[in-house]
Amino acid sequence: VQLQASGGGLVQAGESLRLSCAASGSIFSINDMAWYRQAPGKQREWVAAITRDESAHYADSVKGRFTISRDNAKNTVHLQMNALKSEDTAVYYCNANIWKVEDIGGRDYWGQGTLVTVSS
């Protein structure tokens, strides 16, 4: 199983970006999907999560600006980021709890990270 993240880049403060993450491999089912981020010199922090039935949850720092969504048919999760701030600059990682065809139960997988840089 692999998670491939994309969509990062350099934007100005106030602009928007949309991150995507696609899961591939011998997938039976995907449970919760989430985005985390790690800013330079800081620990990785949770940003947003979405359950399989599309119940979304957000960190206070992004609530009202970011929207997480998923497409269960395509095994993808997206993060729409609006009104970006310089403090949103970080490497963004997708995370998913995936049940492989040959396994009993799910386990966590991580994407490779995509860099978001917001200039002020």
Side-chain angles (χ1 to χ4, degrees):
V1 170
Q2 286 190 327
L3 290 176
Q4 182 68 42
S6 61
L10 171 63
V11 296
Q12 302 249 341
E15 295 184 339
S16 299
L17 271 178
R18 179 178 169 87
L19 305 183
S20 296
C21 179
S24 61
S26 59
I27 297 170
F28 173 71
S29 177
I30 302 179
N31 302 312
D32 291 357
M33 304 184 84
W35 288 95
Y36 288 74
R37 67 186 181 186
Q38 187 165 17
K42 295 188 177 181
Q43 290 192 333
R44 190 174 298 189
E45 65 174 359
W46 172 75
V47 174
I50 187 166
T51 63
R52 182 166 179 80
D53 61 359
E54 302 187 39
S55 176
H57 306 273
Y58 300 93
D60 287 344
S61 59
V62 306
K63 201 171 294 184
R65 299 187 298 122
F66 291 11
T67 302
I68 189 170
S69 61
R70 64 188 287 170
D71 183 334
N72 290 330
K74 296 181 179 179
N75 292 334
T76 57
V77 62
H78 306 284
L79 186 67
Q80 177 66 43
M81 306 185 294
N82 297 330
L84 283 161
K85 305 176 181 179
S86 57
E87 51 263 45
D88 294 318
T89 294
V91 176
Y92 284 70
Y93 298 90
C94 56
N95 167 272
N97 186 271
I98 298 175
W99 188 339
K100 292 172 62 176
V101 170
E102 59 268 34
D103 288 348
I104 299 176
R107 55 157 284 195
D108 277 357
Y109 291 84
W110 291 89
Q112 84 285 7
T114 184
L115 177 62
V116 172
T117 304
V118 184
S119 64
S120 56

XYZ file of all heavy atoms in Angstrom, residues 75-118:
349
model
N -10.305 6.241 -3.399
C -9.321 6.100 -2.306
C -8.450 7.340 -2.166
O -7.227 7.254 -2.038
C -8.434 4.867 -2.526
C -9.200 3.571 -2.378
O -10.217 3.511 -1.681
N -8.741 2.526 -3.035
N -9.079 8.497 -2.219
C -8.340 9.753 -2.133
C -8.879 10.629 -1.007
O -10.044 10.524 -0.604
C -8.425 10.546 -3.439
O -9.806 10.778 -3.747
C -7.770 9.808 -4.585
N -8.010 11.484 -0.521
C -8.383 12.501 0.456
C -7.795 13.823 -0.012
O -6.712 13.858 -0.607
C -7.886 12.138 1.872
C -6.362 12.045 1.922
C -8.412 13.116 2.907
N -8.541 14.891 0.212
C -8.121 16.218 -0.222
C -8.121 17.177 0.961
O -8.840 16.966 1.946
C -9.077 16.747 -1.297
C -9.258 15.830 -2.453
N -8.313 15.691 -3.438
C -10.264 14.985 -2.773
C -8.741 14.815 -4.328
N -9.917 14.359 -3.943
N -7.323 18.219 0.840
C -7.327 19.286 1.834
C -7.358 20.610 1.079
O -6.362 20.995 0.459
C -6.092 19.213 2.744
C -6.093 20.193 3.906
C -7.197 19.835 4.909
C -4.732 20.224 4.603
N -8.488 21.268 1.111
C -8.627 22.591 0.518
C -8.211 23.614 1.554
O -8.810 23.690 2.630
C -10.068 22.837 0.074
C -10.323 24.214 -0.501
C -9.588 24.435 -1.807
O -9.543 23.572 -2.672
N -9.009 25.621 -1.955
N -7.186 24.382 1.236
C -6.643 25.349 2.179
C -6.868 26.751 1.639
O -6.319 27.112 0.594
C -5.153 25.096 2.395
C -4.839 23.665 2.812
S -3.096 23.414 3.191
C -2.376 23.659 1.576
N -7.680 27.527 2.327
C -7.976 28.899 1.935
C -7.401 29.878 2.946
O -7.072 29.499 4.072
C -9.494 29.094 1.839
C -10.136 28.223 0.780
O -9.521 27.882 -0.229
N -11.384 27.851 1.010
N -7.305 31.108 2.540
C -6.805 32.174 3.426
C -5.515 31.752 4.118
O -5.383 31.868 5.349
C -7.882 32.558 4.440
N -4.575 31.267 3.327
C -3.335 30.748 3.902
C -2.534 31.839 4.591
O -2.528 33.004 4.169
C -2.505 30.075 2.818
C -3.004 28.675 2.426
C -2.461 28.258 1.076
C -2.612 27.668 3.501
N -1.868 31.438 5.667
C -1.039 32.340 6.449
C 0.401 31.833 6.429
O 0.648 30.655 6.172
C -1.529 32.384 7.899
C -3.001 32.736 8.062
C -3.417 32.651 9.520
C -4.887 32.963 9.707
N -5.296 32.849 11.136
N 1.334 32.714 6.761
C 2.737 32.295 6.770
C 2.962 31.153 7.762
O 3.800 30.285 7.527
C 3.637 33.482 7.111
O 3.263 34.041 8.355
N 2.201 31.136 8.835
C 2.354 30.069 9.826
C 1.821 28.720 9.356
O 1.959 27.724 10.058
C 1.702 30.447 11.160
C 0.268 30.926 11.052
C 0.177 32.444 11.041
O 0.961 33.091 10.317
O -0.715 32.978 11.756
N 1.192 28.675 8.178
C 0.769 27.401 7.597
C 1.909 26.730 6.831
O 1.755 25.586 6.368
C -0.413 27.606 6.648
C -1.664 28.077 7.356
O -1.957 27.558 8.452
O -2.347 28.975 6.821
N 3.034 27.437 6.688
C 4.179 26.871 5.990
C 4.666 25.613 6.704
O 4.958 25.639 7.900
C 5.323 27.894 5.919
O 4.912 28.994 5.102
C 6.578 27.264 5.333
N 4.718 24.516 5.962
C 5.096 23.233 6.548
C 5.124 22.173 5.459
O 4.643 22.394 4.339
C 4.096 22.818 7.624
N 5.665 21.023 5.810
C 5.496 19.837 4.982
C 4.214 19.159 5.459
O 4.059 18.895 6.657
C 6.689 18.872 5.103
C 6.424 17.611 4.296
C 7.968 19.558 4.637
N 3.316 18.899 4.539
C 2.025 18.302 4.861
C 2.057 16.812 4.513
O 2.460 16.435 3.403
C 0.907 19.003 4.099
C 0.556 20.344 4.703
C 1.439 21.421 4.605
C -0.631 20.534 5.390
C 1.145 22.649 5.187
C -0.947 21.760 5.968
C -0.053 22.806 5.862
O -0.345 24.027 6.434
N 1.622 15.997 5.456
C 1.618 14.547 5.294
C 0.190 14.022 5.372
O -0.574 14.414 6.255
C 2.423 13.885 6.401
C 3.888 14.246 6.432
C 4.338 15.336 7.175
C 4.834 13.505 5.713
C 5.675 15.672 7.208
C 6.169 13.839 5.742
C 6.587 14.926 6.482
O 7.915 15.260 6.506
N -0.147 13.122 4.463
C -1.430 12.452 4.594
C -1.229 11.144 5.362
O -0.151 10.548 5.342
C -2.078 12.185 3.243
S -1.084 11.232 2.088
N -2.269 10.760 6.029
C -2.274 9.567 6.861
C -3.592 8.842 6.663
O -4.646 9.488 6.533
C -2.092 9.973 8.331
C -2.396 8.858 9.301
O -3.546 8.685 9.725
N -1.392 8.094 9.658
N -3.532 7.526 6.621
C -4.775 6.772 6.455
C -4.669 5.442 7.190
O -3.595 4.813 7.203
C -5.059 6.531 4.981
N -5.766 5.052 7.781
C -5.843 3.732 8.409
C -6.446 2.781 7.378
O -7.623 2.910 7.036
C -6.692 3.783 9.670
C -6.661 2.471 10.423
O -7.469 1.592 10.179
N -5.703 2.336 11.320
N -5.613 1.884 6.882
C -5.982 1.062 5.726
C -5.991 -0.408 6.096
O -5.062 -0.924 6.732
C -5.003 1.308 4.556
C -5.090 2.774 4.115
C -5.299 0.363 3.400
C -4.088 3.168 3.054
N -7.037 -1.052 5.665
C -7.184 -2.501 5.832
C -6.826 -3.135 4.501
O -7.545 -2.987 3.508
C -8.620 -2.809 6.236
C -8.896 -4.206 6.627
C -8.182 -5.333 6.313
C -10.015 -4.673 7.392
N -8.764 -6.445 6.842
C -9.900 -6.086 7.519
C -11.099 -4.039 7.989
C -10.819 -6.844 8.211
C -12.025 -4.812 8.672
C -11.878 -6.195 8.786
N -5.687 -3.841 4.466
C -5.274 -4.513 3.245
C -6.088 -5.776 3.038
O -6.607 -6.364 3.991
C -3.784 -4.848 3.307
C -2.885 -3.636 3.281
C -1.428 -4.007 3.536
C -0.871 -4.925 2.488
N 0.576 -5.194 2.710
N -6.147 -6.207 1.799
C -6.922 -7.388 1.448
C -6.482 -8.599 2.266
O -7.302 -9.384 2.747
C -6.814 -7.675 -0.060
C -7.399 -9.033 -0.397
C -7.494 -6.577 -0.867
N -5.159 -8.733 2.447
C -4.633 -9.934 3.090
C -4.520 -9.819 4.606
O -4.055 -10.737 5.268
C -3.250 -10.273 2.507
C -2.212 -9.183 2.679
C -2.162 -8.227 1.489
O -3.224 -7.973 0.890
O -1.070 -7.730 1.194
N -4.909 -8.670 5.170
C -4.766 -8.459 6.612
C -6.083 -8.646 7.355
O -7.154 -8.695 6.749
C -4.251 -7.048 6.893
C -2.800 -6.874 6.527
O -2.130 -7.898 6.270
O -2.341 -5.720 6.498
N -5.966 -8.727 8.687
C -7.153 -8.712 9.546
C -7.066 -7.415 10.338
O -6.271 -7.280 11.249
C -7.175 -9.931 10.492
C -7.226 -11.226 9.698
C -8.381 -9.823 11.439
C -7.154 -12.465 10.563
N -7.869 -6.417 9.964
C -7.809 -5.120 10.627
C -6.936 -4.141 9.877
O -6.205 -4.509 8.957
N -7.031 -2.869 10.268
C -6.283 -1.822 9.587
C -5.043 -1.397 10.333
O -4.867 -1.706 11.511
N -4.168 -0.701 9.629
C -2.991 -0.082 10.236
C -2.740 1.245 9.546
O -3.236 1.502 8.462
C -1.769 -0.991 10.136
C -1.425 -1.460 8.752
C 0.009 -1.857 8.607
N 0.873 -0.670 8.522
C 2.120 -0.697 8.118
N 2.690 -1.837 7.791
N 2.842 0.403 8.057
N -1.956 2.074 10.210
C -1.697 3.412 9.698
C -0.608 3.415 8.636
O 0.427 2.763 8.787
C -1.289 4.343 10.843
C -2.492 4.892 11.590
O -3.640 4.602 11.181
O -2.298 5.622 12.573
N -0.852 4.205 7.590
C 0.125 4.437 6.535
C 0.310 5.940 6.375
O -0.605 6.723 6.619
C -0.348 3.841 5.203
C -0.363 2.334 5.188
C -1.450 1.634 5.696
C 0.722 1.608 4.686
C -1.468 0.241 5.705
C 0.711 0.224 4.686
C -0.385 -0.457 5.192
O -0.396 -1.824 5.204
N 1.515 6.326 5.911
C 1.848 7.738 5.731
C 2.284 8.000 4.300
O 2.987 7.180 3.702
C 2.984 8.149 6.665
C 2.585 8.163 8.106
C 2.642 7.126 8.978
C 2.069 9.285 8.835
N 2.183 7.529 10.209
C 1.826 8.855 10.159
C 1.788 10.611 8.509
C 1.318 9.700 11.143
C 1.274 11.448 9.493
C 1.045 10.997 10.787
N 1.894 9.165 3.781
C 2.408 9.617 2.514
C 3.775 10.239 2.693
O 4.267 10.422 3.820
N 4.386 10.636 1.580
C 5.771 11.109 1.612
C 5.900 12.569 1.981
O 6.995 13.031 2.245
C 6.435 10.880 0.233
C 6.187 11.972 -0.797
C 4.797 11.956 -1.391
O 3.911 11.220 -0.988
N 4.611 12.798 -2.400
N 4.799 13.299 2.034
C 4.871 14.712 2.381
C 4.934 15.602 1.156
O 5.566 15.267 0.156
N 4.272 16.742 1.257
C 4.327 17.742 0.190
C 4.498 19.106 0.845
O 3.828 19.430 1.837
C 3.058 17.688 -0.693
O 3.179 18.608 -1.774
C 1.788 17.978 0.088
N 5.412 19.901 0.313
C 5.797 21.160 0.939
C 4.859 22.293 0.540
O 4.610 22.525 -0.651
C 7.231 21.534 0.556
C 7.755 22.867 1.077
C 7.785 22.885 2.609
C 9.151 23.127 0.504
N 4.356 22.982 1.543
C 3.550 24.184 1.345
C 4.314 25.361 1.934
O 4.661 25.351 3.119
C 2.175 24.054 2.019
C 1.414 25.378 1.965
C 1.371 22.945 1.363
N 4.574 26.361 1.103
C 5.277 27.558 1.556
C 4.387 28.758 1.304
O 3.950 28.992 0.172
C 6.610 27.731 0.817
O 7.408 26.562 0.985
C 7.360 28.941 1.362
N 4.112 29.512 2.361
C 3.263 30.697 2.260
C 4.120 31.914 2.558
O 4.638 32.060 3.669
C 2.080 30.616 3.233
C 1.155 31.828 3.035
C 1.311 29.318 3.048
